[in-house]
């Protein structure tokens, strides 16, 4: 309960007034699915604790939803400030309580009654992991573009059907106004310029699978909020579409590359690439130019910056095993706890396979071998179908080590039981 109160009523995570969703909404903001998953996970231990006290499932549901409703009511009256109350949170927290009940009810699965049940559990979990790899890869992929082009269509045909132009939008919706001077923006060969503050914006007729962006600017943003500098969006019809395909911006003196992809359409968080210190030591009216170059492809994000005081770059491989970055916003790729979050995620995927596989007794070697083959074949197929980067050698080593750890723990637990 203390963890729930800390996460929901602590005075951090305030929402900018311009970005705050409607109060008491059911689908709140762009990351509604990520928020829902986070709330379910947050309340699952609470539901588990109540179930361990012997409470019935409907009592746990009522207590979880009631406690959540009280928290949301406090947020609705400004405790803490700049937090938004939502019915979606009440529903998700109630479901989280039920998940805790379900976890307790399935505790008997830890030690299957027969080797056949152990095989089904190990292989079923491995199949679920492959499915999760596929969903992660699909979410990381572009909405359209080269990967979704009809069979037989040439690259020249695709290029001919994609046109670029200066955006008709007066500003970037949902974001602040860049206070520096953006001189030039080049997007996939199309160039636009202006002299003055505010972002440079380009509209494209259809979303390209790959975006190469180059921005030349002077000065910096005075505040610390994320503001776009170079912005690319799809234009459909007279009204157009203001949602970004990709943009380069500034946040807390760092350069940032933001892309949306299918993850955004599904309500999931999309990993962003940050390059700290690019604007450190610069004044708001610094006349020295800064060149930001960004590359967004189905398998990679890259961002580099060059100025008189800074030169640096950063890249991110979009692989099927970074699903943890899509379903929560506390830990980020490139953050201080990235490795810890990544290993915990892989442990949740791989340890159960080893745990159940080793309980297949004399057949455990075959069971684990087939499970690993499924994982390898499934993971190898993801770059082909979705264009994501293949799983790296480091991640494969970690995955196999965690699978072996699960098997060792399962063998030890069986001998002790």
């Amino acid at each position: 309960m203390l963890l729930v109160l800390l996460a929901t009523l602590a005075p951090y995570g305030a929402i900018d007034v311009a970005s705050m969703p409607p109060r008491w909404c059911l689908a709140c903001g762009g990351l509604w699915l990520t928020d829902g998953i986070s709330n379910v996970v947050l309340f699952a231990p609470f539901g588990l604790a109540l179930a361990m006290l012997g409470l019935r499932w409907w009592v746990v549901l009522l207590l979880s939803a009631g406690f959540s409703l009280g928290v949301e009511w406090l947020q609705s009256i400004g405790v803490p400030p700049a937090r938004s109350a939502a019915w979606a949170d009440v529903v998700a927290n109630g479901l989280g309580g039920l998940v805790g009940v379900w976890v307790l009810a399935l505790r008997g699965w830890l030690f299957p009654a027969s080797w056949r049940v152990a095989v089904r559990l190990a292989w079923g979990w491995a199949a679920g992991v492959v499915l999760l790899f596929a969903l992660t890869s699909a979410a990381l992929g572009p909405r359209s573009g080269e990967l979704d082009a009809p069979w037989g269509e040439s690259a020249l045909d695709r290029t001919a059907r994609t046109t670029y132009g200066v955006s008709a939008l007066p500003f970037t919706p949902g974001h602040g106004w860049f206070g520096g001077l953006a001189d030039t923006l080049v997007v996939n060969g199309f160039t636009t310029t202006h002299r003055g503050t505010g972002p440079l914006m380009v509209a494209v007729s259809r979303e390209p699978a790959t975006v190469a962006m180059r921005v030349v600017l002077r000065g910096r943003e005075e505040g610390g909020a994320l503001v776009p500098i170079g912005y690319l969006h799809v234009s459909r019809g007279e009204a157009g579409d203001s949602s970004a395909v990709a943009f380069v911006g500034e946040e807390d003196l760092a350069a940032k590359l933001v892309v949306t992809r299918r993850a955004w359409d599904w309500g999931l968080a999309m990993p962003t690439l940050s390059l700290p210190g690019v604007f450190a030591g610069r004044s708001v009216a610094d006349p020295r130019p800064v060149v930001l170059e960004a590359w967004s492809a189905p398998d990679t994000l890259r961002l580099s910056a060059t100025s008189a005081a800074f030169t640096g770059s950063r890249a991110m491989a979009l692989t099927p095993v970074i699903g943890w970055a899509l379903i929560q916003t506390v830990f980020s790729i490139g953050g201080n706890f990235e490795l810890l979050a990544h290993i915990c995620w892989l442990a949740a995927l791989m340890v159960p396979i080893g745990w159940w596989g080793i309980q297949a007794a004399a057949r455990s070697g075959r069971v684990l071998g087939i499970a690993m083959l499924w994982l390898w074949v499934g993971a190898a197929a993801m770059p082909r179908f979705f264009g994501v980067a293949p799983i790296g050698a480091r991640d494969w080593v970690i995955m196999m080590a965690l699978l072996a750890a699960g098997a060792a723990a399962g063998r030890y637990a069986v001998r002790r039981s």
Side-chain angles (χ1 to χ4, degrees):
M1 183 176 291
L2 181 62
L3 176 63
V4 172
L5 291 173
L6 181 64
T8 55
L9 295 179
Y12 61 83
I15 304 173
D16 181 72
V17 174
S19 305
M20 186 173 293
R23 292 190 182 274
W24 300 108
C25 52
L26 273 174
C28 308
L31 304 182
W32 62 270
L33 184 54
T34 292
D35 291 340
I37 294 172
S38 299
N39 281 311
V40 168
V41 173
L42 179 65
F43 265 69
F46 181 66
L48 176 62
L50 294 177
M52 291 177 69
L53 294 176
L55 300 182
R56 302 289 297 275
W57 69 267
W58 58 271
V59 177
V60 174
L61 174 61
L62 289 177
L63 289 176
S64 299
F67 182 63
S68 174
L69 186 60
V71 170
E72 296 302 313
W73 177 77
L74 288 174
Q75 291 182 350
S76 72
I77 63 174
V79 182
R83 298 287 286 268
S84 179
W87 285 115
D89 291 348
V90 177
V91 173
N93 292 337
L95 290 176
L98 288 181
V99 168
V101 176
W102 177 70
V103 169
L104 184 64
L106 297 180
R107 64 188 182 278
W109 285 12
L110 284 174
F111 300 100
S114 68
W115 68 267
R116 289 184 176 86
V117 176
V119 170
R120 294 190 190 103
L121 289 172
W123 286 354
W125 196 272
V129 170
V130 173
L131 176 60
L132 189 60
F133 285 169
L135 291 174
T136 301
S137 301
L140 292 172
R143 301 178 184 90
S144 60
E146 297 178 10
L147 293 176
D148 296 333
W151 291 107
E153 185 182 32
S154 67
L156 184 61
D157 293 333
R158 289 192 294 270
T159 302
R161 293 194 298 110
T162 305
T163 58
Y164 297 82
V166 176
S167 173
L169 297 176
F171 58 89
T172 53
H175 297 282
W177 187 262
F178 177 61
L181 302 176
D183 293 332
T184 306
L185 170 63
V186 182
V187 179
N188 289 355
F190 176 83
T191 303
T192 181
T193 62
H194 76 183
R195 295 277 180 175
T197 62
L200 286 162
M201 303 173 64
V202 170
V204 63
S205 60
R206 62 193 297 266
E207 179 181 347
T210 301
V211 176
M213 187 178 294
R214 186 176 189 270
V215 184
V216 181
L217 63 110
R218 291 170 288 141
R220 66 169 177 85
E221 171 60 23
E222 187 172 5
L226 175 62
V227 291
I229 304 172
Y231 190 93
L232 174 69
H233 71 95
V234 176
S235 178
R236 298 185 179 96
E238 295 182 0
D241 182 354
S242 61
S243 59
V245 172
F247 71 81
V248 174
E250 178 189 346
E251 183 179 37
D252 292 329
L253 302 180
K256 201 158 190 177
L257 170 61
V258 177
V259 297
T260 53
R261 309 281 178 90
R262 291 192 189 98
W264 177 261
D265 295 341
W266 295 353
L268 294 169
M270 181 70 194
T272 59
L273 194 57
S274 184
L275 196 56
V278 174
F279 298 95
R282 296 178 62 88
S283 66
V284 175
D286 196 320
R288 297 173 299 173
V290 177
V291 179
L292 303 178
E293 294 183 299
W295 174 266
S296 169
D299 61 343
T300 309
L301 299 180
R302 284 202 308 269
L303 179 63
S304 66
T306 304
S307 68
F310 183 94
T311 299
S313 63
R314 180 169 285 184
M316 177 192 303
L318 302 178
T319 71
V321 295
I322 61 171
W324 60 270
L326 304 180
I327 60 173
Q328 53 79 44
T329 56
V330 177
F331 307 106
S332 61
I333 296 178
N336 294 330
F337 299 98
E338 174 192 356
L339 183 59
L340 176 62
H342 192 63
I343 292 177
C344 289
W345 174 256
L346 293 180
L349 301 183
M350 304 305 299
V351 167
I353 301 174
W355 175 277
W356 285 316
I358 203 66
Q359 296 186 51
R363 301 164 182 82
S364 60
R366 185 193 312 168
V367 171
L368 291 174
I370 292 176
M372 288 188 289
L373 179 62
W374 286 354
L375 291 171
W376 183 83
V377 172
M382 300 308 150
R384 171 65 182 86
F385 287 102
F386 300 104
V388 295
I391 298 176
R394 185 200 69 167
D395 285 337
W396 276 116
V397 170
I398 294 174
M399 289 165 62
M400 293 303 103
L402 290 170
L403 189 147
R411 185 186 298 274
Y412 176 78
V414 168
R415 288 177 176 175
R416 290 292 301 271
S417 62

